[in-house]
PDB file of all heavy atoms in Angstrom:
ATOM      1  N   MET B   1      -3.621   3.786  57.830  1.00 43.00           N
ATOM      2  CA  MET B   1      -2.832   3.446  56.644  1.00 43.00           C
ATOM      3  C   MET B   1      -1.282   3.560  56.976  1.00 43.00           C
ATOM      4  O   MET B   1      -0.854   4.533  57.579  1.00 43.00           O
ATOM      5  CB  MET B   1      -3.146   4.362  55.516  1.00 43.00           C
ATOM      6  CG  MET B   1      -2.491   3.982  54.211  1.00 43.00           C
ATOM      7  SD  MET B   1      -2.893   5.142  52.859  1.00 43.00           S
ATOM      8  CE  MET B   1      -1.977   6.580  53.298  1.00 43.00           C
ATOM      9  N   ARG B   5       4.187   2.034  53.236  1.00 87.00           N
ATOM     10  CA  ARG B   5       3.855   1.047  52.133  1.00 87.00           C
ATOM     11  C   ARG B   5       3.415   1.792  50.896  1.00 87.00           C
ATOM     12  O   ARG B   5       2.211   1.947  50.656  1.00 87.00           O
ATOM     13  CB  ARG B   5       2.752   0.153  52.687  1.00 87.00           C
ATOM     14  CG  ARG B   5       3.321  -0.814  53.746  1.00 87.00           C
ATOM     15  CD  ARG B   5       2.121  -1.453  54.514  1.00 87.00           C
ATOM     16  NE  ARG B   5       1.299  -2.226  53.732  1.00 87.00           N
ATOM     17  CZ  ARG B   5       1.292  -3.527  53.431  1.00 87.00           C
ATOM     18  NH1 ARG B   5       2.419  -4.220  53.777  1.00 87.00           N
ATOM     19  NH2 ARG B   5       0.484  -4.045  52.619  1.00 87.00           N
ATOM     20  N   LEU B   8       4.701   2.864  43.510  1.00 92.00           N
ATOM     21  CA  LEU B   8       4.719   3.853  42.406  1.00 92.00           C
ATOM     22  C   LEU B   8       4.663   3.071  41.119  1.00 92.00           C
ATOM     23  O   LEU B   8       5.465   2.180  40.846  1.00 92.00           O
ATOM     24  CB  LEU B   8       5.918   4.741  42.458  1.00 92.00           C
ATOM     25  CG  LEU B   8       6.063   5.784  41.303  1.00 92.00           C
ATOM     26  CD1 LEU B   8       4.929   6.773  41.381  1.00 92.00           C
ATOM     27  CD2 LEU B   8       7.498   6.392  41.403  1.00 92.00           C
ATOM     28  N   GLY B  12       3.120   3.336  31.095  1.00 79.00           N
ATOM     29  CA  GLY B  12       1.947   2.425  30.727  1.00 79.00           C
ATOM     30  C   GLY B  12       0.615   2.995  30.866  1.00 79.00           C
ATOM     31  O   GLY B  12       0.488   4.207  31.161  1.00 79.00           O
ATOM     32  N   SER B  14      -3.207   3.695  32.363  1.00 84.00           N
ATOM     33  CA  SER B  14      -3.626   4.070  33.735  1.00 84.00           C
ATOM     34  C   SER B  14      -4.335   2.840  34.426  1.00 84.00           C
ATOM     35  O   SER B  14      -4.505   2.855  35.626  1.00 84.00           O
ATOM     36  CB  SER B  14      -4.432   5.245  33.768  1.00 84.00           C
ATOM     37  OG  SER B  14      -5.599   5.020  32.947  1.00 84.00           O
ATOM     38  N   ASP B  15      -4.594   1.813  33.602  1.00 91.00           N
ATOM     39  CA  ASP B  15      -5.317   0.640  34.171  1.00 91.00           C
ATOM     40  C   ASP B  15      -4.651  -0.033  35.286  1.00 91.00           C
ATOM     41  O   ASP B  15      -5.184  -0.468  36.287  1.00 91.00           O
ATOM     42  CB  ASP B  15      -5.580  -0.412  33.045  1.00 91.00           C
ATOM     43  CG  ASP B  15      -6.425   0.208  31.899  1.00 91.00           C
ATOM     44  OD1 ASP B  15      -7.135   1.203  32.124  1.00 91.00           O
ATOM     45  OD2 ASP B  15      -6.345  -0.366  30.775  1.00 91.00           O
ATOM     46  N   GLU B  17      -2.527   1.239  37.445  1.00 92.00           N
ATOM     47  CA  GLU B  17      -2.672   2.047  38.678  1.00 92.00           C
ATOM     48  C   GLU B  17      -4.037   1.896  39.181  1.00 92.00           C
ATOM     49  O   GLU B  17      -4.230   1.661  40.475  1.00 92.00           O
ATOM     50  CB  GLU B  17      -2.414   3.522  38.305  1.00 92.00           C
ATOM     51  CG  GLU B  17      -2.546   4.446  39.585  1.00 92.00           C
ATOM     52  CD  GLU B  17      -2.984   5.830  39.201  1.00 92.00           C
ATOM     53  OE1 GLU B  17      -3.297   6.095  37.960  1.00 92.00           O
ATOM     54  OE2 GLU B  17      -2.950   6.753  40.029  1.00 92.00           O
ATOM     55  N   VAL B  19      -6.164  -0.566  39.023  1.00 95.00           N
ATOM     56  CA  VAL B  19      -6.436  -1.866  39.651  1.00 95.00           C
ATOM     57  C   VAL B  19      -5.662  -2.002  40.896  1.00 95.00           C
ATOM     58  O   VAL B  19      -6.234  -2.431  41.988  1.00 95.00           O
ATOM     59  CB  VAL B  19      -6.015  -3.009  38.608  1.00 95.00           C
ATOM     60  CG1 VAL B  19      -6.151  -4.329  39.399  1.00 95.00           C
ATOM     61  CG2 VAL B  19      -6.852  -2.955  37.378  1.00 95.00           C
ATOM     62  N   ARG B  35       4.286   9.492  34.950  1.00 74.00           N
ATOM     63  CA  ARG B  35       4.628   9.311  33.467  1.00 74.00           C
ATOM     64  C   ARG B  35       6.131   9.114  33.402  1.00 74.00           C
ATOM     65  O   ARG B  35       6.893   9.648  34.257  1.00 74.00           O
ATOM     66  CB  ARG B  35       4.200  10.517  32.672  1.00 74.00           C
ATOM     67  CG  ARG B  35       2.714  10.618  32.603  1.00 74.00           C
ATOM     68  CD  ARG B  35       2.086   9.609  31.769  1.00 74.00           C
ATOM     69  NE  ARG B  35       2.726   9.708  30.342  1.00 74.00           N
ATOM     70  CZ  ARG B  35       2.327  10.567  29.472  1.00 74.00           C
ATOM     71  NH1 ARG B  35       1.308  11.382  29.782  1.00 74.00           N
ATOM     72  NH2 ARG B  35       2.870  10.647  28.265  1.00 74.00           N
ATOM     73  N   ARG B  38       8.524  12.042  33.584  1.00 64.00           N
ATOM     74  CA  ARG B  38       8.569  12.834  34.830  1.00 64.00           C
ATOM     75  C   ARG B  38       9.131  12.074  35.968  1.00 64.00           C
ATOM     76  O   ARG B  38       9.362  12.521  37.048  1.00 64.00           O
ATOM     77  CB  ARG B  38       7.162  13.297  35.216  1.00 64.00           C
ATOM     78  CG  ARG B  38       6.528  14.149  34.161  1.00 64.00           C
ATOM     79  CD  ARG B  38       5.119  14.642  34.527  1.00 64.00           C
ATOM     80  NE  ARG B  38       5.312  15.648  35.657  1.00 64.00           N
ATOM     81  CZ  ARG B  38       5.465  16.972  35.438  1.00 64.00           C
ATOM     82  NH1 ARG B  38       5.738  17.380  34.262  1.00 64.00           N
ATOM     83  NH2 ARG B  38       5.622  17.777  36.476  1.00 64.00           N
ATOM     84  N   ARG B  42      11.164  13.096  39.598  1.00 65.00           N
ATOM     85  CA  ARG B  42      10.442  12.644  40.842  1.00 65.00           C
ATOM     86  C   ARG B  42      11.295  11.857  41.807  1.00 65.00           C
ATOM     87  O   ARG B  42      11.188  11.899  42.964  1.00 65.00           O
ATOM     88  CB  ARG B  42       9.222  11.839  40.417  1.00 65.00           C
ATOM     89  CG  ARG B  42       8.298  11.582  41.531  1.00 65.00           C
ATOM     90  CD  ARG B  42       7.083  10.769  41.085  1.00 65.00           C
ATOM     91  NE  ARG B  42       6.336  10.356  42.343  1.00 65.00           N
ATOM     92  CZ  ARG B  42       5.057  10.371  42.427  1.00 65.00           C
ATOM     93  NH1 ARG B  42       4.348  10.807  41.429  1.00 65.00           N
ATOM     94  NH2 ARG B  42       4.473   9.992  43.489  1.00 65.00           N
ATOM     95  N   SER B  48      11.985   7.390  48.604  1.00 82.00           N
ATOM     96  CA  SER B  48      11.663   6.286  47.595  1.00 82.00           C
ATOM     97  C   SER B  48      10.469   5.544  48.064  1.00 82.00           C
ATOM     98  O   SER B  48      10.369   5.193  49.257  1.00 82.00           O
ATOM     99  CB  SER B  48      12.872   5.408  47.494  1.00 82.00           C
ATOM    100  OG  SER B  48      13.977   6.145  47.061  1.00 82.00           O
ATOM    101  N   VAL B  52       8.366  -0.181  43.142  1.00 93.00           N
ATOM    102  CA  VAL B  52       8.187   0.635  41.938  1.00 93.00           C
ATOM    103  C   VAL B  52       7.840  -0.418  40.825  1.00 93.00           C
ATOM    104  O   VAL B  52       8.494  -1.439  40.646  1.00 93.00           O
ATOM    105  CB  VAL B  52       9.429   1.321  41.472  1.00 93.00           C
ATOM    106  CG1 VAL B  52       9.235   2.022  40.142  1.00 93.00           C
ATOM    107  CG2 VAL B  52       9.908   2.320  42.571  1.00 93.00           C
ATOM    108  N   ASP B  55       6.597  -0.102  33.730  1.00 89.00           N
ATOM    109  CA  ASP B  55       6.084  -0.679  32.445  1.00 89.00           C
ATOM    110  C   ASP B  55       7.155  -0.477  31.365  1.00 89.00           C
ATOM    111  O   ASP B  55       7.400   0.699  30.918  1.00 89.00           O
ATOM    112  CB  ASP B  55       4.743   0.018  32.074  1.00 89.00           C
ATOM    113  CG  ASP B  55       4.123  -0.746  30.864  1.00 89.00           C
ATOM    114  OD1 ASP B  55       4.816  -1.206  30.018  1.00 89.00           O
ATOM    115  OD2 ASP B  55       2.901  -0.803  30.831  1.00 89.00           O
ATOM    116  N   GLU B  59       8.390   2.679  28.385  1.00 58.00           N
ATOM    117  CA  GLU B  59       9.585   3.426  28.732  1.00 58.00           C
ATOM    118  C   GLU B  59      10.623   3.542  27.646  1.00 58.00           C
ATOM    119  O   GLU B  59      11.247   2.536  27.253  1.00 58.00           O
ATOM    120  CB  GLU B  59      10.271   2.792  30.025  1.00 58.00           C
ATOM    121  CG  GLU B  59      11.248   3.648  30.680  1.00 58.00           C
ATOM    122  CD  GLU B  59      12.283   2.880  31.455  1.00 58.00           C
ATOM    123  OE1 GLU B  59      11.956   1.754  31.852  1.00 58.00           O
ATOM    124  OE2 GLU B  59      13.367   3.369  31.654  1.00 58.00           O
ATOM    125  N   HIS B  60      10.829   4.726  27.064  1.00 58.00           N
ATOM    126  CA  HIS B  60      11.852   4.883  26.045  1.00 58.00           C
ATOM    127  C   HIS B  60      13.231   5.175  26.600  1.00 58.00           C
ATOM    128  O   HIS B  60      14.198   4.810  26.091  1.00 58.00           O
ATOM    129  CB  HIS B  60      11.436   6.029  25.177  1.00 58.00           C
ATOM    130  CG  HIS B  60      10.200   5.783  24.331  1.00 58.00           C
ATOM    131  ND1 HIS B  60      10.219   4.783  23.374  1.00 58.00           N
ATOM    132  CD2 HIS B  60       8.992   6.306  24.324  1.00 58.00           C
ATOM    133  CE1 HIS B  60       9.052   4.739  22.762  1.00 58.00           C
ATOM    134  NE2 HIS B  60       8.268   5.612  23.372  1.00 58.00           N
ATOM    135  N   ALA B  66      17.015   2.955  36.392  1.00 75.00           N
ATOM    136  CA  ALA B  66      18.248   3.165  37.198  1.00 75.00           C
ATOM    137  C   ALA B  66      17.982   4.164  38.352  1.00 75.00           C
ATOM    138  O   ALA B  66      18.700   4.062  39.386  1.00 75.00           O
ATOM    139  CB  ALA B  66      19.373   3.631  36.297  1.00 75.00           C
ATOM    140  N   LYS B  70      16.970   2.152  44.709  1.00 82.00           N
ATOM    141  CA  LYS B  70      16.735   1.954  46.217  1.00 82.00           C
ATOM    142  C   LYS B  70      15.456   1.311  46.520  1.00 82.00           C
ATOM    143  O   LYS B  70      15.224   0.889  47.579  1.00 82.00           O
ATOM    144  CB  LYS B  70      16.714   3.413  46.783  1.00 82.00           C
ATOM    145  CG  LYS B  70      18.139   4.071  46.762  1.00 82.00           C
ATOM    146  CD  LYS B  70      17.970   5.445  47.391  1.00 82.00           C
ATOM    147  CE  LYS B  70      19.310   6.216  47.310  1.00 82.00           C
ATOM    148  NZ  LYS B  70      19.168   7.603  47.724  1.00 82.00           N
ATOM    149  N   SER B  78       6.627  -6.748  27.570  1.00 85.00           N
ATOM    150  CA  SER B  78       6.541  -7.806  26.558  1.00 85.00           C
ATOM    151  C   SER B  78       7.814  -8.578  26.535  1.00 85.00           C
ATOM    152  O   SER B  78       7.825  -9.782  26.171  1.00 85.00           O
ATOM    153  CB  SER B  78       6.200  -7.233  25.164  1.00 85.00           C
ATOM    154  OG  SER B  78       4.995  -6.516  25.253  1.00 85.00           O
ATOM    155  N   ILE B  84      18.753  -6.436  34.629  1.00 80.00           N
ATOM    156  CA  ILE B  84      17.951  -6.711  35.791  1.00 80.00           C
ATOM    157  C   ILE B  84      18.635  -7.211  36.967  1.00 80.00           C
ATOM    158  O   ILE B  84      19.649  -8.029  36.820  1.00 80.00           O
ATOM    159  CB  ILE B  84      16.751  -7.681  35.375  1.00 80.00           C
ATOM    160  CG1 ILE B  84      15.780  -7.828  36.476  1.00 80.00           C
ATOM    161  CG2 ILE B  84      17.308  -9.009  34.972  1.00 80.00           C
ATOM    162  CD1 ILE B  84      14.499  -8.514  36.034  1.00 80.00           C
ATOM    163  N   ALA B  85      18.470  -6.696  38.148  1.00 82.00           N
ATOM    164  CA  ALA B  85      19.164  -7.074  39.328  1.00 82.00           C
ATOM    165  C   ALA B  85      18.554  -8.359  39.866  1.00 82.00           C
ATOM    166  O   ALA B  85      17.421  -8.688  39.530  1.00 82.00           O
ATOM    167  CB  ALA B  85      19.141  -5.978  40.358  1.00 82.00           C
ATOM    168  N   ARG B  89      11.936  -8.129  40.005  1.00 93.00           N
ATOM    169  CA  ARG B  89      10.999  -9.237  39.527  1.00 93.00           C
ATOM    170  C   ARG B  89      10.532  -8.783  38.126  1.00 93.00           C
ATOM    171  O   ARG B  89      10.550  -7.532  37.789  1.00 93.00           O
ATOM    172  CB  ARG B  89       9.766  -9.202  40.441  1.00 93.00           C
ATOM    173  CG  ARG B  89      10.006  -9.482  41.897  1.00 93.00           C
ATOM    174  CD  ARG B  89      10.536 -10.854  42.124  1.00 93.00           C
ATOM    175  NE  ARG B  89      10.766 -11.096  43.580  1.00 93.00           N
ATOM    176  CZ  ARG B  89       9.879 -11.586  44.357  1.00 93.00           C
ATOM    177  NH1 ARG B  89       8.729 -11.935  43.877  1.00 93.00           N
ATOM    178  NH2 ARG B  89      10.105 -11.759  45.641  1.00 93.00           N
ATOM    179  N   LEU B  91       7.320  -9.576  35.154  1.00 95.00           N
ATOM    180  CA  LEU B  91       6.149 -10.245  34.791  1.00 95.00           C
ATOM    181  C   LEU B  91       5.893  -9.983  33.314  1.00 95.00           C
ATOM    182  O   LEU B  91       5.893  -8.800  32.871  1.00 95.00           O
ATOM    183  CB  LEU B  91       4.905  -9.808  35.539  1.00 95.00           C
ATOM    184  CG  LEU B  91       4.813 -10.203  37.022  1.00 95.00           C
ATOM    185  CD1 LEU B  91       3.644  -9.581  37.698  1.00 95.00           C
ATOM    186  CD2 LEU B  91       4.744 -11.692  37.215  1.00 95.00           C
ATOM    187  N   PRO B  94       0.695 -10.760  28.488  1.00 90.00           N
ATOM    188  CA  PRO B  94      -0.277 -10.357  29.495  1.00 90.00           C
ATOM    189  C   PRO B  94      -0.292 -11.276  30.750  1.00 90.00           C
ATOM    190  O   PRO B  94      -0.434 -12.434  30.631  1.00 90.00           O
ATOM    191  CB  PRO B  94      -1.563 -10.556  28.668  1.00 90.00           C
ATOM    192  CG  PRO B  94      -1.307 -11.653  27.676  1.00 90.00           C
ATOM    193  CD  PRO B  94       0.194 -11.557  27.426  1.00 90.00           C
ATOM    194  N   ILE B 104       3.893  -7.778  44.628  1.00 95.00           N
ATOM    195  CA  ILE B 104       3.999  -6.480  45.303  1.00 95.00           C
ATOM    196  C   ILE B 104       3.921  -6.651  46.808  1.00 95.00           C
ATOM    197  O   ILE B 104       4.700  -6.083  47.567  1.00 95.00           O
ATOM    198  CB  ILE B 104       2.969  -5.476  44.723  1.00 95.00           C
ATOM    199  CG1 ILE B 104       3.309  -5.093  43.277  1.00 95.00           C
ATOM    200  CG2 ILE B 104       2.925  -4.160  45.581  1.00 95.00           C
ATOM    201  CD1 ILE B 104       2.242  -4.287  42.566  1.00 95.00           C
ATOM    202  N   ARG B 111      11.006  -6.247  52.351  1.00 61.00           N
ATOM    203  CA  ARG B 111      12.115  -5.287  52.470  1.00 61.00           C
ATOM    204  C   ARG B 111      11.623  -3.909  52.300  1.00 61.00           C
ATOM    205  O   ARG B 111      11.080  -3.550  51.174  1.00 61.00           O
ATOM    206  CB  ARG B 111      13.153  -5.611  51.449  1.00 61.00           C
ATOM    207  CG  ARG B 111      14.447  -4.817  51.577  1.00 61.00           C
ATOM    208  CD  ARG B 111      15.521  -5.533  50.756  1.00 61.00           C
ATOM    209  NE  ARG B 111      15.283  -5.363  49.290  1.00 61.00           N
ATOM    210  CZ  ARG B 111      15.742  -4.366  48.538  1.00 61.00           C
ATOM    211  NH1 ARG B 111      16.530  -3.450  49.070  1.00 61.00           N
ATOM    212  NH2 ARG B 111      15.494  -4.329  47.242  1.00 61.00           N
ATOM    213  N   PRO B 112      11.740  -3.075  53.179  1.00 59.00           N
ATOM    214  CA  PRO B 112      11.406  -1.689  52.977  1.00 59.00           C
ATOM    215  C   PRO B 112      12.415  -0.968  52.141  1.00 59.00           C
ATOM    216  O   PRO B 112      13.602  -1.483  51.987  1.00 59.00           O
ATOM    217  CB  PRO B 112      11.426  -1.115  54.391  1.00 59.00           C
ATOM    218  CG  PRO B 112      12.387  -1.905  55.223  1.00 59.00           C
ATOM    219  CD  PRO B 112      12.274  -3.288  54.590  1.00 59.00           C
TER     220      PRO B 112
END
Side-chain angles (χ1 to χ4, degrees):
Chain B
M1 187 179 71
R5 288 163 58 86
L8 177 66
S14 58
D15 300 339
E17 180 207 10
V19 175
R35 295 285 302 280
R38 301 183 69 84
R42 184 180 174 138
S48 300
V52 178
D55 190 324
E59 192 203 339
H60 291 295
K70 291 177 184 171
S78 302
I84 186 168
R89 306 292 183 92
L91 289 178
I104 293 171
R111 189 167 67 93

